[in-house]
Amino acid sequence: MNNGKSSSRNPQQKRSVQRKEDILDVAMFLFSSKGFYNTTTNEIAKTAKISIGNLYFYFPDKDTILMELLKRYNQHFLSVYDDINTAENVRLYQSDKKKWLYNLIDNLIVLHESTKNFSRELNVLYYARPEVAALVDAQSEKVRLATLDGLVQHKEDLQSEDMEALSVVIVDYISALVDRIVFKDNIVDKQRILSAGIEVLYKGLLL
């Protein structure tokens, strides 16, 4: 494990930027399918069709690749919250709040489905690697703060007056709902679980 000081190279030329992205894509596939500990930098380089020296030009070690992937993964999910304030979503919130909630949670489900195996590997690494836990926890706090910002903007529509506590409850509730639908073997149809979950959130949250 590195000491936390290693960092990846940030190329400027288009070809180099694309090569770095290709390395990350390959590493994410291998980490997801084989596991982080069962994947070597030699294997990443071979699968990416580059030399090991070329890989080390961009990344000093496998740990740095993992942390870069985690940052990219986190940004992937924050994009859902960035979209909340688009004009289209604001109009939907005003006209059909339940549909707005549905779209938000459904988008999170789609994103989790697309990275399901990598998410499972991160759950393992969270308890094994403090640097992974720190980044995941920082991501969770960013999501909570984005949720809090949205609650404050629409506090007149809400039943609770404690926006800070409510932001914690909502983030945990939505996370549990998404995890149930994406990662669990469900006897009940997933769409029914989603609809019931949104109904509970809608009735408990909004006036």
Side-chain angles (χ1 to χ4, degrees), residues 108-191:
L108 288 171
I109 290 171
V110 170
L111 287 178
H112 275 85
E113 287 283 5
S114 69
T115 57
K116 182 188 294 189
N117 292 330
F118 186 68
S119 295
R120 284 179 172 144
E121 184 64 12
L122 285 181
N123 286 337
V124 174
L125 294 171
Y126 180 90
Y127 295 101
R129 305 181 70 88
E131 70 274 25
V132 171
L135 261 183
V136 170
D137 289 344
Q139 160 76 0
S140 297
E141 180 60 9
K142 286 181 181 179
V143 169
R144 188 194 70 80
L145 290 174
T147 302
L148 176 60
D149 182 61
L151 293 173
V152 170
Q153 290 183 42
H154 302 289
K155 59 184 178 181
E156 68 279 359
D157 298 329
L158 305 174
Q159 297 190 47
S160 175
E161 294 182 358
D162 189 342
M163 299 295 107
E164 192 165 34
L166 189 59
S167 69
V168 174
V169 172
I170 290 174
V171 168
D172 286 353
Y173 178 87
I174 291 178
S175 178
L177 180 60
V178 171
D179 285 353
R180 161 59 70 178
I181 291 172
V182 174
F183 298 107
K184 304 290 185 180
D185 293 326
N186 297 295
I187 298 175
V188 179
D189 178 74
K190 291 182 178 181
Q191 189 60 47

Side-chain angles (χ1 to χ4, degrees), residues 35-206:
F36 174 78
Y37 293 111
N38 294 325
T39 301
T40 66
T41 50
N42 281 323
E43 187 175 11
I44 295 170
K46 182 179 179 180
T47 307
K49 296 181 172 58
I50 61 172
S51 69
I52 188 65
N54 206 336
L55 183 146
Y56 286 138
F57 175 79
Y58 295 97
F59 300 99
D61 49 43
K62 188 173 68 169
D63 299 291
T64 307
I65 296 175
L66 173 65
M67 299 308 285
E68 186 91 0
L69 276 176
L70 184 51
K71 291 174 184 177
R72 190 172 74 166
Y73 173 86
N74 287 343
Q75 191 56 47
H76 190 52
F77 285 96
L78 280 175
S79 66
V80 173
Y81 294 90
D82 291 339
D83 289 342
I84 287 177
N85 293 319
T86 64
E88 181 180 358
N89 271 313
V90 170
R91 286 194 297 270
L92 180 60
Y93 177 86
Q94 294 170 343
S95 63
D96 190 341
K97 293 179 177 60
K98 189 181 291 187
K99 177 66 174 175
W100 179 86
L101 278 173
Y102 177 91
N103 284 354
L104 171 63
I105 298 175
D106 190 54
N107 284 337
L108 288 171
I109 290 171
V110 170
L111 287 178
H112 275 85
E113 287 283 5
S114 69
T115 57
K116 182 188 294 189
N117 292 330
F118 186 68
S119 295
R120 284 179 172 144
E121 184 64 12
L122 285 181
N123 286 337
V124 174
L125 294 171
Y126 180 90
Y127 295 101
R129 305 181 70 88
E131 70 274 25
V132 171
L135 261 183
V136 170
D137 289 344
Q139 160 76 0
S140 297
E141 180 60 9
K142 286 181 181 179
V143 169
R144 188 194 70 80
L145 290 174
T147 302
L148 176 60
D149 182 61
L151 293 173
V152 170
Q153 290 183 42
H154 302 289
K155 59 184 178 181
E156 68 279 359
D157 298 329
L158 305 174
Q159 297 190 47
S160 175
E161 294 182 358
D162 189 342
M163 299 295 107
E164 192 165 34
L166 189 59
S167 69
V168 174
V169 172
I170 290 174
V171 168
D172 286 353
Y173 178 87
I174 291 178
S175 178
L177 180 60
V178 171
D179 285 353
R180 161 59 70 178
I181 291 172
V182 174
F183 298 107
K184 304 290 185 180
D185 293 326
N186 297 295
I187 298 175
V188 179
D189 178 74
K190 291 182 178 181
Q191 189 60 47
R192 288 171 58 197
I193 295 173
L194 176 58
S195 296
I198 290 171
E199 189 71 21
V200 170
L201 185 59
Y202 177 77
K203 289 183 177 179
L205 178 63
L206 299 168

